[in-house]
Amino acid sequence: MTITTDDRSLAFARRLATTPAPEQRRENILADPGFGSHFTDHMVAIDWTEEAGWHDARLQPYGPIALQPASAVLHYGQEVFEGLKAYRHDDGSIWTFRPEKNAERLRSSARRLALPELGTADFLASLSELVVADRHWVPAGAERSLYLRPFIIANETFIGVRPAHAASYFVIASPAGPYFESGVRPVSIWISTEHARTARGGTGDAKCGGNYAASLLPQQEAMRNGCAQVLFADAETGTRVDEAGSMNLFAVTRDGALITPAASGSILEGITRDSVIQLARDQQIRVDERDVFVDELCDGLATGEITEIFATGTAAAITPIGQLKSPAGSWGSVDAATGPVTRALRDELTGIQHGRVEDRHGWLYRLDA
Ligand SMILES: *Cc1c(COP(=O)(O)O)cnc(C)c1O
């Protein structure tokens, strides 16, 4: 992809870590990084105030950030975030996937949460700054990556209820190993009948921390019922599928078409979702973005009208779903093999990301050049 530099306004100051992780410690972490608990040597920070706009862009050692107890984010949850990955290709170069989409989505999330918007070129530059400094932290190999977490917090010292006049943007990075420890396997998913994730006009289509806070209790319920994830239905009727709370949902019908809930304002429009729709259409697979009903999936699994279900998101790319469960019963089986459509789409998507399948759409963006 090509990016014009028109909206690039910031120059990054660089302060490198004086005590980076010793090589041996880093290698040990990269051998088994898990997800989300180890962080690289550096971070990016950019401050914003109403008077000065975005300023003081810098690369600095990873470490605690100072916040006043009265910082707005701590009281009203004025925060938005992104998630994307850096992949090391076989020739050693480091790439990410459709980052301009993350930049755009961070801006639209920020608008919804009354936070300042960062330009695409500054967003991309912030990723490159961090990944170049911490390039040794990008693992090689299929299913491995460096997870990048940009986020914006309201940090004005003021507890009155209004949009904060000061905010900060950060990027941190965490090495990620295979999401499925023993190979890709179908999971079961719990249909939440009591809780909704969002409602029409809410924040469901913004990537904000508050949505996740609200999903933790139903997620706990899912795990108590032996499920890996929770499936949310629409708040008004409880009959239409929204999404899985951190992943978008797809099903394959008997005639080989894909169905997925239309973006109606109550789902977070995943970049993986958008990419899967494109890859399917490239193969002449019909994709219907429409209302998908919870009963349609449950009954369909029983009758064979629905042949595969899967979920999409940056963390796991594509997760096969073998079984749906609710207080009313269970449908399908976790022992089912991953379906052929799910597998083919997953192989192609992860193949493009890791540089092993041709990038027909120009989705890759080089971070270390
Ligand atoms: C981030 C997210 C997704 C997946 O989006 P991707 O861009 O594919 O990673 C789905 N649902 C929610 C609620 C999310 O926050």
Side-chain angles (χ1 to χ4, degrees):
M1 54 168 283
T2 50
I3 290 289
T4 59
T5 49
D6 299 353
D7 65 335
R8 173 93 191 256
S9 51
L10 300 164
F12 286 80
R14 296 192 186 119
R15 182 160 64 83
L16 296 181
T18 50
T19 54
E23 188 177 342
Q24 190 54 53
R25 174 152 183 279
R26 191 180 68 229
E27 292 306 323
N28 289 344
I29 291 171
L30 290 183
D32 184 20
F35 182 81
S37 43
H38 300 284
F39 298 90
T40 61
D41 294 313
H42 297 91
M43 61 199 261
V44 157
I46 312 176
D47 294 325
W48 178 89
T49 59
E50 207 166 56
E51 313 78 67
W54 291 109
H55 62 277
D56 201 10
R58 60 209 186 266
L59 175 82
Q60 65 186 50
Y62 176 89
I65 54 181
L67 285 179
Q68 292 287 346
S71 275
V73 64
L74 301 178
H75 302 272
Y76 308 122
Q78 203 188 351
E79 187 262 2
V80 295
F81 67 96
E82 270 305 322
L84 68 170
K85 286 175 162 180
Y87 307 92
R88 186 180 292 282
H89 287 187
D90 290 338
D91 68 356
S93 59
I94 302 170
W95 303 74
T96 190
F97 185 73
R98 309 186 76 184
E100 74 288 357
K101 287 269 183 198
N102 297 90
E104 216 175 275
R105 188 170 66 188
L106 184 64
R107 278 200 299 278
S108 89
S109 298
R111 259 193 310 280
R112 181 63 183 83
L113 275 286
L115 282 162
E117 299 175 34
L118 185 70
T120 295
D122 288 330
F123 177 87
L124 296 176
S126 74
L127 304 181
S128 290
E129 279 292 328
L130 182 56
V131 166
V132 167
D134 287 336
R135 60 193 172 278
H136 301 303
W137 285 92
V138 184
E143 303 284 324
R144 293 171 181 274
S145 60
L146 182 66
Y147 184 79
L148 306 175
R149 166 54 58 82
F151 61 104
I152 304 175
I153 59 171
N155 65 358
E156 184 183 1
T157 306
F158 178 63
I159 58 169
V161 179
R162 59 149 171 72
H165 293 171
S168 294
Y169 165 86
F170 298 96
V171 192
I172 56 175
S174 176
Y179 192 86
F180 297 94
E181 284 297 341
S182 45
V184 179
R185 278 195 30 218
V187 301
S188 57
I189 192 159
W190 178 253
I191 302 165
S192 177
T193 47
E194 213 173 308
H195 303 284
R197 197 185 143 262
T198 185
R200 195 176 299 276
T203 55
D205 58 354
K207 207 169 176 74
C208 64
N211 288 345
Y212 278 71
S215 74
L216 296 177
L217 181 68
Q219 174 67 27
Q220 237 174 3
E221 185 185 303
M223 290 169 82
R224 265 203 311 278
N225 285 281
C227 292
Q229 290 286 340
V230 53
L231 183 150
F232 290 103
D234 75 291
E236 279 143 84
T237 69
T239 62
R240 287 189 298 266
V241 173
D242 267 351
E243 62 161 291
S246 62
M247 292 188 287
N248 298 116
L249 226 78
F250 286 83
V252 183
T253 61
R254 194 202 295 270
D255 60 359
L258 280 183
I259 57 175
T260 192
S264 59
S266 61
I267 67 167
L268 191 287
E269 287 183 61
I271 294 159
T272 320
R273 173 186 181 276
D274 186 74
S275 308
V276 162
I277 290 172
Q278 182 65 56
L279 293 178
R281 288 182 176 152
D282 290 351
Q283 296 172 35
Q284 319 303 326
I285 295 174
R286 198 177 83 232
V287 184
D288 291 335
E289 298 179 65
R290 60 159 169 86
D291 284 346
V292 173
F293 293 91
V294 176
D295 284 350
E296 179 183 7
L297 295 188
C298 296
D299 297 346
L301 278 180
T303 62
E305 197 49 49
I306 298 292
T307 55
E308 301 177 36
I309 301 178
F310 61 85
T312 64
T314 295
I318 294 180
T319 304
I321 292 168
Q323 186 179 48
L324 300 175
K325 274 173 132 183
S326 83
S330 71
W331 299 266
S333 161
V334 276
D335 298 323
T338 300
V341 177
T342 306
R343 178 161 296 285
L345 286 168
R346 192 176 196 283
D347 288 347
E348 189 178 19
L349 177 67
T350 57
I352 294 169
Q353 290 169 334
H354 289 273
R356 291 167 183 177
V357 168
E358 190 203 343
D359 176 25
R360 294 190 305 277
H361 296 285
W363 283 341
L364 294 177
Y365 176 82
R366 187 159 182 187
L367 288 169
D368 65 334

